[in-house]
Amino acid sequence: MPVAPTGLTVFEDGADAYLNWEDHSANESGFRVYRNGVLYGTSPAGQPNFDDAAIVTATTYTYFVVAYNAQGDSAPSNKVTVTIGAS
């Protein structure tokens, strides 16, 4: 199985939430991005970032990421929470 991503961070600008993380696996097929506990999107192997363009102002989102391959999913990354438009 792939090694879990770490160091997940999120930055929002009121229109998008930008996620970045550290990729520690050399054998992932990609990354699964979860938003509020539900699979939300994917990012290709070797691309440790994701742009969530479907955010709503004054809404709180919690994200985490897992690396995956044919053997299964890694452990989840740390979770990050952001409230859109809170700054």
Side-chain angles (χ1 to χ4, degrees), residues 11 16 23 41-42 44-45 47 50 60 77:
F11 166 78
D16 291 61
D23 177 2
T42 60
Q47 184 175 321
F50 184 83
T60 299
S77 70

Side-chain angles (χ1 to χ4, degrees), residues 8-25:
L8 177 63
T9 61
V10 62
F11 166 78
E12 64 91 8
D13 64 5
D16 291 61
Y18 304 98
L19 285 73
N20 293 286
W21 59 89
E22 296 173 24
D23 177 2
H24 298 286
S25 184

Side-chain angles (χ1 to χ4, degrees), residues 3 13 46-47 51-52 66 76 80:
V3 177
D13 64 5
Q47 184 175 321
D51 179 6
D52 182 355
V66 300
V80 294

